[in-house]
Amino acid sequence: MPRRYPLIWIILLALTSGCHEPSWESRPPAQSSSDAPAAKELDFLQQTKAVREQRSDSIRVSARVVSDEEFSSLTGLSGLHHLILNQGRISDASLVVCKSLTALEHLRLRKSLVSDEGIAHLAAHPTLKILNLPQADLTDQSLKLLSQLPRLEYLRLASPQVTDEGLDHLTRLSTLRFLHLIDVNITDTGLQHVARMKQLESFYLDGSQTTEEGLTQLIKARPDLHLHLNQQHLDHDPQKHQHSTESK
């Protein structure tokens, strides 16, 4: 279970405000202005056709589950840059398709229990910048594989099997700027590895085995780091500030 922290450590944000993921991950590519009416989501097959015809570089599906068979139909889709599937259920074996998506920059798979087997298909992908796996089932071995990604800037994942050793692997990622870990089994030792990620700009941690002392030491070592614990700033974090509301 995640360790609880005293209230004095937490600065509560205004009810209408909150820190969220960077807009370049949470918003769909080429999103229209906020006051424009939301467009109806095209079906997966329609979006795939648009990419094949070079009328789009993105596939974003929230309305339904995409099957493994449909996912496999993306093989060789070289014009696909953004692949966002919010209903998931993609198997590890199907992720071999990603090797043929040579321009893929952004991959989000919600509700897909991606394990080490699936991550092996993503290792060393030449263009992947954003990887979001909020319901994964991977181990430290996956983080070792992900450390081979030459352009990865944003990593968000959840897995109780991730430990301090996994964070040590991530210190090899010289491009990583944003790290968000959810329900992971890391301790204060893992925070020491985070402190070594000098290029890291933001670190979100929601559920861990870390302590007040460990977090205090991280702030002292990296006062420039934008740090969140369980969706809040720490009270003595020099980077604390309020954020405008932004839907995820």
Side-chain angles (χ1 to χ4, degrees):
M1 294 292 292
R3 189 183 298 272
R4 295 186 179 275
Y5 297 86
L7 289 179
I8 194 171
W9 266 68
I10 305 299
I11 180 169
L12 297 177
L13 302 181
L15 292 177
T16 57
S17 301
C19 263
H20 300 293
E21 300 166 39
S23 59
W24 47 276
E25 204 291 325
S26 56
R27 292 176 187 154
Q31 179 172 309
S32 57
S33 62
S34 58
D35 56 350
K40 181 180 179 181
E41 179 180 293
L42 294 177
D43 185 71
F44 175 81
L45 296 179
Q46 292 175 299
Q47 293 188 56
T48 301
K49 182 180 179 181
V51 176
R52 292 194 186 282
E53 296 176 351
Q54 300 182 350
R55 294 183 285 110
S56 174
D57 65 358
S58 307
I59 294 175
R60 181 185 180 99
V61 179
S62 299
R64 68 174 180 87
V65 173
V66 174
S67 69
D68 276 343
E69 182 179 1
E70 289 173 314
F71 192 85
S72 296
S73 72
L74 301 178
T75 300
L77 203 57
S78 60
L80 183 61
H81 291 230
H82 308 273
L83 179 55
I84 301 173
L85 304 181
N86 287 323
Q87 295 301 320
R89 313 298 197 276
I90 303 303
S91 68
D92 285 330
S94 292
L95 287 179
V96 69
V97 169
C98 294
K99 292 183 176 181
S100 69
L101 305 179
T102 55
L104 187 65
E105 298 180 5
H106 181 179
L107 178 63
R108 182 200 297 173
L109 298 176
R110 294 189 187 277
K111 302 181 182 178
S112 292
L113 296 178
V114 178
S115 73
D116 295 344
E117 180 185 346
I119 293 298
H121 297 308
L122 300 176
H125 193 288
T127 59
L128 193 62
K129 294 181 179 180
I130 305 170
L131 181 60
N132 190 342
L133 303 172
Q135 288 91 23
D137 188 31
L138 46 79
T139 72
D140 294 334
Q141 176 61 24
S142 284
L143 273 63
K144 183 177 181 179
L145 293 172
L146 292 176
S147 71
Q148 302 174 26
L149 292 171
R151 300 184 66 187
L152 189 66
E153 298 181 12
Y154 176 109
L155 178 61
R156 181 175 189 256
L157 60 85
S159 178
Q161 300 182 74
V162 168
T163 72
D164 299 332
E165 182 181 352
L167 288 183
D168 187 27
H169 294 315
L170 291 184
T171 61
R172 299 170 177 80
L173 266 173
S174 62
T175 56
L176 190 64
R177 295 171 45 228
F178 187 99
L179 179 61
H180 186 173
L181 301 177
I182 305 165
D183 294 335
V184 289
N185 192 27
I186 70 167
T187 69
D188 293 349
T189 299
L191 297 181
Q192 294 173 18
H193 298 320
V194 172
R196 291 163 49 205
M197 302 177 191
K198 299 304 182 183
Q199 78 292 341
L200 197 67
E201 299 174 9
S202 281
F203 178 47
Y204 284 39
L205 182 60
D206 297 322
S208 71
Q209 301 301 317
T210 56
T211 68
E212 296 175 35
E213 177 62 24
L215 290 160
T216 298
Q217 293 303 315
L218 176 59
I219 289 175
K220 289 181 178 179
R222 289 292 311 278
D224 59 317
L225 186 64
H226 184 183
L227 176 63
H228 275 209
L229 176 69
N230 300 325
Q231 296 298 317
Q232 303 290 343
H233 284 288
L234 300 182
D235 189 38
H236 56 292
D237 180 357
Q239 295 294 316
K240 69 182 181 183
H241 57 278
Q242 290 189 349
H243 302 250
S244 59
T245 303
E246 178 183 308
S247 61
K248 291 185 180 179

